[in-house]
Amino acid sequence: MEDEDVHNVAVVQATQNRDTVSREAASTLIHCQRSELDSETSNRLKMLKRIIHDNPMMGLFDKNSYSSCLTKKLTKSDIDESQGRLIISIDFAKAQILPLLKEGVEDSHAGIPVTIYTRLNEFKMIYKCWNNKTHVLTSGWNEFWKECQLKVDDTIYLWVFRHVSTKKLCFAITADQD
């Protein structure tokens, strides 16, 4: 396939994915229409808004291969140039990232090249697991947090997914900045 054809297929699939998520969100809203929302449902609806309305990256997700969202408040060590990495919680990595890896092909201990998507840009990084317990994004993290002007206590939202066209492992990150 030519690059233009791959792009056109990706646009069509992205539109279909966004339509599916929109229908699911509408169904949830109709269900909740006349009931008082508990905090969990309210938070889920806010997250749906973030995914559907605020997140143009949603169309890149392969509808069968994506994670739930990790919400993380950035720490001093996440924004330390000498560290050069973002730590991802082990529970999230085990439950959401590791099941997406292609067994025998992608080795998190050796490192997996990934693309990180923001609302406006793409960044190349490496996803790695250090010592069977510390999961990180590295090799490009410093450039990412600087360009996105992230700082300590900013909240990021992270998803892991297979790209709809390339099927490569990718991450999407958005942020609420204080």
Side-chain angles (χ1 to χ4, degrees), residues 23-153:
R23 280 192 301 278
E24 290 173 7
S27 175
T28 300
L29 289 171
I30 289 168
H31 174 73
C32 296
Q33 187 174 16
R34 296 207 172 147
S35 58
E36 189 172 318
L37 296 180
D38 58 54
S39 64
E40 181 182 347
T41 302
S42 176
N43 289 336
R44 290 181 73 199
L45 289 173
K46 287 176 187 173
M47 188 57 61
L48 278 172
K49 179 190 176 287
R50 178 179 303 285
I51 292 170
I52 296 165
H53 184 269
D54 298 342
N55 192 343
M57 298 166 290
M58 186 60 195
L60 300 172
F61 291 27
D62 179 322
K63 67 181 179 180
N64 298 313
S65 301
Y66 63 93
S67 71
S68 62
C69 179
L70 170 68
T71 302
K72 176 180 170 86
K73 187 170 278 229
L74 294 176
T75 65
K76 186 177 178 183
S77 71
D78 292 324
I79 308 298
D80 181 341
E81 195 167 349
S82 68
Q83 297 286 327
R85 52 80 186 126
L86 172 71
I87 291 182
I88 299 168
S89 79
I90 192 167
D91 292 336
F92 181 81
K94 284 182 177 179
Q96 302 293 326
I97 301 173
L98 298 182
L100 292 177
L101 300 185
K102 294 179 181 173
E103 196 171 328
V105 176
E106 295 171 323
D107 180 1
S108 62
H109 296 94
I112 302 167
V114 296
T115 301
I116 311 300
Y117 291 91
T118 67
R119 290 185 177 104
L120 302 174
N121 295 314
E122 298 177 15
F123 296 83
K124 300 297 183 192
M125 292 188 210
I126 303 290
Y127 167 70
K128 262 187 159 173
C129 178
W130 293 336
N131 302 319
N132 289 324
K133 62 181 178 180
T134 305
H135 296 261
V136 297
L137 287 173
T138 187
S139 300
W141 172 248
N142 282 342
E143 176 190 350
F144 178 87
W145 67 259
K146 287 176 185 177
E147 188 164 321
C148 295
Q149 300 177 356
L150 298 174
K151 58 190 177 306
V152 174
D153 292 330

